[in-house]
């Protein structure tokens, strides 16, 4: 048997490497297309339009996050919200503005700090009327706030939530028998050089001397440590709350001691061993004993 010799494969040509700059165009080939000038002009014009729209948006559009509106805008809004809450409480309760809480150092972003502002108002009423008062306050607030209340099945939790706009929220509820406390919060905002929450629009108001007069009526001398808070009422004007502490515990019922300074048309809101409060017109007065100290609080306005 004969064996065929192995077949020879044809040689393989080495791959051709293009010269620097690429292969030359074959003879007679059309030139490479160039971008049309009108496309370049349209693209440049569209970029200008986008820049203009972005500038106008930052100037006129409503903020979409709270970081876009600084404390110079959020602070006055919180002030007006407090006035709305006081007015919503009505004329048959005693309202009290609580001290402002302004804190710096919160983080807007990992590299940007800001400040938070909280303002509060407390309402004094009877223990039985507190849940119904919370509902009335929610009903009297602007509809755009979408205020709502929640009452637990056991009747132990009564709360209120509302959105006052521009990321300013209202939270609170019944915090103790006959007491409703509501807090207005701005969240963390950029600080503003032209906003100072400690600045008051007026000093030496008549309300400033009223707490001392109430303490004197029950035989207590006012001590240092008093203060005042103010807010803007919905219909104009302001609501002011002033307070002053005094040492010791006054003897006898506070109602009897305050009879000499209490107006004839005053309506007693609370009369308990630890506190006495009445409302007369747009003025609310409370004298309360806390930890061996007497505190008189007077609110006028709204």
């Amino acid at each position: 048997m004969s064996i065929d010799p192995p077949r020879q494969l044809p040689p393989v040509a080495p791959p051709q490497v293009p010269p620097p700059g690429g292969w030359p165009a074959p003879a007679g080939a059309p030139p490479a297309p160039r971008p049309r000038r009108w496309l370049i002009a349209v693209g440049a014009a569209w970029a200008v339009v986008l820049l203009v729209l972005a500038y106008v948006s930052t100037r006129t559009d409503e903020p979409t996050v709270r970081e876009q509106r600084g404390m110079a805008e959020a602070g006055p809004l919180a002030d007006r919200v407090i006035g709305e809450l006081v007015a919503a409480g009505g004329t048959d309760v005693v309202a009290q503005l609580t001290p402002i809480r302004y804190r710096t150092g919160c983080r807007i972003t990992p590299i940007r700090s800001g400040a938070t502002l909280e303002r509060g108002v407390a309402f004094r009423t009877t223990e039985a009327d507190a849940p119904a008062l919370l509902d009335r306050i929610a009903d009297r607030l602007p509809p755009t706030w979408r205020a709502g209340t929640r009452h637990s099945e056991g009747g132990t939790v009564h709360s209120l939530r509302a959105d006052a706009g521009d990321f300013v929220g209202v939270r609170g509820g019944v915090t103790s028998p006959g007491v409703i406390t509501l807090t207005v919060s701005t969240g963390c905002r950029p600080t503003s050089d032209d906003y100072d929450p400690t600045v008051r629009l007026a000093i030496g108001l008549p309300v400033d001397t009223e707490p001392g007069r109430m303490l004197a009526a029950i035989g207590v001398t006012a001590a240092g440590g008093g203060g005042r808070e103010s807010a803007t009422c919905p219909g104009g004007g302001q609501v002011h709350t002033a307070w002053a502490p005094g040492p010791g515990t006054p003897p006898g019922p506070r109602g009897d001691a305050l009879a000499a300074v209490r107006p004839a048309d005053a309506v007693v809101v609370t009369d308990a061993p630890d506190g006495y409060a009445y409302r007369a017109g747009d003025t609310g007065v409370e004298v309360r004993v806390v930890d061996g100290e007497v505190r008189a609080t007077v609110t006028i306005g709204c």
Side-chain angles (χ1 to χ4, degrees), residues 200-210 228-230 238-242:
R200 298 295 178 265
L201 300 179
I203 59 175
L205 296 178
V207 69
D208 294 339
T209 61
E210 286 300 293
R228 170 164 53 90
E229 291 294 347
S230 303
Q238 287 194 309
V239 55
H240 308 282
T241 294

Side-chain angles (χ1 to χ4, degrees), residues 78-162:
D79 172 89
R80 296 190 298 272
V81 172
I82 288 292
E84 289 278 2
L85 294 173
V86 173
T91 59
D92 55 348
V93 299
V94 173
Q96 301 172 352
L97 307 186
T98 59
I100 288 177
R101 294 187 294 273
Y102 183 75
R103 304 183 183 93
T104 58
C106 63
R107 307 306 303 182
I108 299 175
T109 67
I111 61 175
R112 188 183 184 191
S113 63
T116 60
L117 173 69
E118 290 184 350
R119 300 205 59 178
V121 56
F123 298 93
R124 303 283 181 179
T125 185
T126 62
E127 179 177 354
D129 289 344
L133 172 61
L134 196 67
D135 290 333
R136 291 199 302 272
I137 292 174
D139 292 339
R140 293 169 178 172
L141 293 176
T144 56
W145 291 18
R146 300 188 300 276
T149 58
R150 184 177 68 87
H151 305 281
S152 64
E153 294 183 1
T156 57
V157 178
H158 310 277
S159 60
L160 179 148
R161 296 170 64 94

Side-chain angles (χ1 to χ4, degrees), residues 1-286:
M1 181 176 63
S2 63
I3 299 176
D4 296 333
R7 291 185 298 174
Q8 298 293 326
L9 297 176
V12 179
Q16 296 182 343
V17 178
W23 299 105
R34 296 181 178 180
R36 298 183 180 182
R37 293 185 176 181
W38 68 270
L39 290 176
I40 298 176
V42 170
W46 182 243
V48 172
V49 170
L50 291 178
L51 290 174
V52 171
L53 291 176
Y55 176 81
V56 173
S57 176
T58 57
R59 292 289 183 177
T60 60
D61 286 359
E62 291 296 319
T64 56
V65 294
R66 65 168 57 95
E67 292 81 359
Q68 291 179 279
R69 186 163 297 234
M71 197 59 72
E73 295 82 14
L77 174 57
D79 172 89
R80 296 190 298 272
V81 172
I82 288 292
E84 289 278 2
L85 294 173
V86 173
T91 59
D92 55 348
V93 299
V94 173
Q96 301 172 352
L97 307 186
T98 59
I100 288 177
R101 294 187 294 273
Y102 183 75
R103 304 183 183 93
T104 58
C106 63
R107 307 306 303 182
I108 299 175
T109 67
I111 61 175
R112 188 183 184 191
S113 63
T116 60
L117 173 69
E118 290 184 350
R119 300 205 59 178
V121 56
F123 298 93
R124 303 283 181 179
T125 185
T126 62
E127 179 177 354
D129 289 344
L133 172 61
L134 196 67
D135 290 333
R136 291 199 302 272
I137 292 174
D139 292 339
R140 293 169 178 172
L141 293 176
T144 56
W145 291 18
R146 300 188 300 276
T149 58
R150 184 177 68 87
H151 305 281
S152 64
E153 294 183 1
T156 57
V157 178
H158 310 277
S159 60
L160 179 148
R161 296 170 64 94
D163 179 3
D166 289 340
F167 307 98
V168 173
V170 180
R171 303 288 185 272
V174 178
T175 53
S176 61
V179 179
I180 292 174
T181 304
L182 300 176
T183 301
V184 179
S185 177
T186 65
C188 191
R189 305 291 185 112
T191 56
S192 303
D193 294 337
D194 55 349
Y195 177 74
D196 183 356
T198 64
V199 173
R200 298 295 178 265
L201 300 179
I203 59 175
L205 296 178
V207 69
D208 294 339
T209 61
E210 286 300 293
R213 191 166 72 94
M214 299 301 155
L215 290 176
I218 60 176
V220 175
T221 301
R228 170 164 53 90
E229 291 294 347
S230 303
T232 303
C233 297
Q238 287 194 309
V239 55
H240 308 282
T241 294
W243 62 88
T249 302
R254 258 71 71 189
D256 295 344
L258 291 172
V261 297
R262 186 179 61 227
D265 61 344
V267 176
V268 177
V269 176
T270 59
D271 186 358
D274 64 337
Y276 180 88
Y278 68 83
R279 176 76 182 244
D282 64 349
T283 301
V285 175
E286 182 188 51

